[in-house]
Amino acid sequence: TTPITRDRARGLLLGLALGDALGAPFEGRDSVDPADLVAEELAPSGLVHTDDTALALVLAEHLAEHRETTVLEEDLLAREFADAWRAEPWRGYGSGTPKVFGLINAGVPWRDATRAFYQGQGSFGNGAAMRVAPIALAGTSLHHAAELARRSAAVTHAHKHGQHGTACQAAAAYLALHSDPTHPLPVPAFLHDLARVVRSGPWHEKLDRIAELVRRRPEPQHAATALGNDASALGSVPTALLAFLLNPDRANDAIRYAIRVGGDTDTIAAMAGALAGARTGAAALPAAWLRRLAAARRLRALADRLS
Ligand code: F2R
Ligand code: MG
Ligand code: MG
Ligand code: MG
């Protein structure tokens, strides 16, 4: 596999934040008018990230701190996520995960807090997948990245599909980071590798559907129907993956496609942006967008510590 360069590590984190911040104004809309998206791209205002990037920053900092030792300290990580929510509750969090954070802040162990909702099953939302990209920088193999991802997910998302989705996104980020940018991305092999680390019927079904959709190149609205665009992991991680696989060498187009899918736009675009940025590197991301990104300096510094 191709080694990770500093530029690609930066691309991973900056791509995530750009997708999040550009997609955020459209979150929850059934459809996105391309003209509205162009207006957002050209606006002079700062690009402000939401919970997706806020929690990815927490995870990246945690990985950087524990790099030489344990890599992931779940009890501490749970408290760090909950602290980030308490410090900035206005970052566009939904209603679910903050309830878990509230219990953790009150001293409830994360293993109990995450099972206190949804009849003891816990959340299958995309909230652990949206923040997981930095794990791809810490994983020493595809399987290691997927395993670390599951552990990072468990502190907020007890449901197996919340964890499968997180493993899928981290593994995709690992493969994107280590892909050879001088050759076209081998889509069938990419999807085959993901199927090896995400062993679940409903996920294999989605991965098969993605292979077919990459051949048909559907409009974004059709991708929403075929794969989903909601805040569940199963209804958004595959959609982000499609946005990337249709545009693996153009991060701006991957992000645009993901936003035009509608629904959970910030999160789908954050996941697609992380994958595309990891493949192209930060130097290929639109400079005009990066200049507006409020968290850019912090993200670059963290990428450098992790690469
Ligand atoms: N939630 C939002 N945005 C909507 C609200 C924005 C707000 N109005 C504002 O602008 O301030 N954004 C962020 O949340 C998503 C990540 O969600 P997470 O952290 O996984 O949360 P949750 O609530 O656990 O799951 C999301 C939804 O999935 C459904 N669900 C999950 N588990 C379920 C289960 N076991 N049974 C049934 N349904 C389940 C629920 O509908 C949850 O609401 C990202 O979009 C992020 O940007
Ligand atoms: Mg968000
Ligand atoms: Mg969202
Ligand atoms: Mg370094």
Side-chain angles (χ1 to χ4, degrees):
T1 56
T2 311
I4 301 172
T5 62
R6 176 165 287 197
D7 184 52
R8 293 177 85 180
R10 288 180 170 196
L12 174 84
L13 298 189
L14 292 168
L16 185 161
L18 284 177
D20 174 16
L22 275 169
F26 304 98
E27 192 183 30
R29 289 200 203 169
D30 287 338
S31 65
V32 174
D33 184 337
D36 290 348
L37 180 50
V38 170
E40 195 58 41
E41 287 181 27
L42 297 177
S45 53
L47 285 171
V48 180
H49 64 263
T50 76
D51 55 335
D52 307 51
T53 306
L55 296 180
L57 281 163
V58 171
L59 182 54
E61 257 154 29
H62 183 94
L63 294 170
E65 282 304 310
H66 299 272
R67 195 163 177 70
E68 309 303 336
T69 51
T70 48
V71 188
L72 215 84
E73 211 48 271
E74 281 100 323
D75 294 347
L76 185 57
L77 181 62
R79 291 199 297 275
E80 289 166 347
F81 284 142
D83 283 344
W85 164 70
R86 184 162 47 187
E88 299 183 322
W90 48 267
R91 282 262 181 219
Y93 290 87
S95 56
T97 304
K99 289 185 195 150
V100 176
F101 290 150
L103 290 181
I104 291 170
N105 281 334
V108 177
W110 59 265
R111 283 177 204 281
D112 302 322
T114 55
R115 294 208 175 265
F117 306 100
Y118 302 113
Q119 293 87 39
Q121 294 211 319
S123 170
F124 56 57
N126 56 18
M130 74 187 184
R131 69 184 184 221
V132 80
I135 291 269
L137 298 169
T140 54
S141 70
L142 182 65
H143 278 91
H144 185 227
E147 195 246 339
L148 286 176
R150 287 179 196 283
R151 285 173 46 199
S152 78
V155 306
T156 48
H157 289 67
H159 198 288
K160 66 180 177 193
H161 286 311
Q163 298 181 15
H164 284 318
T166 310
C168 185
Q169 169 67 9
Y174 181 92
L175 292 172
L177 268 176
H178 292 277
S179 65
D180 179 355
T182 65
H183 286 85
L185 190 75
V187 173
F190 194 101
L191 292 170
H192 180 82
D193 283 342
L194 291 184
R196 286 197 296 127
V197 293
V198 186
R199 294 169 170 277
S200 156
W203 286 86
H204 284 192
E205 230 171 81
K206 288 271 171 128
L207 293 172
D208 289 344
R209 213 175 295 169
I210 291 171
E212 170 63 21
L213 291 166
V214 171
R215 285 189 289 272
R216 298 214 320 253
R217 308 195 69 82
E219 288 297 311
Q221 307 88 290
H222 180 71
T225 316
L227 294 174
N229 68 357
D230 60 33
S232 70
L234 199 50
S236 59
V237 174
T239 317
L241 190 51
L242 175 68
F244 164 62
L245 293 176
L246 289 172
N247 306 283
D249 299 302
R250 295 177 308 273
N252 50 354
D253 286 337
I255 287 171
R256 288 182 181 122
Y257 187 98
I259 293 172
R260 290 186 52 209
V261 165
D264 196 357
T265 48
D266 65 327
T267 301
I268 297 172
M271 295 189 290
L275 301 182
R279 172 148 168 97
T280 67
L285 298 173
W289 297 1
L290 287 174
R291 272 196 295 276
R292 294 169 53 203
L293 186 65
R297 186 196 294 260
R298 217 177 133 199
L299 290 160
R300 280 192 196 97
L302 271 167
D304 294 353
R305 284 174 72 192
L306 289 169
S307 59

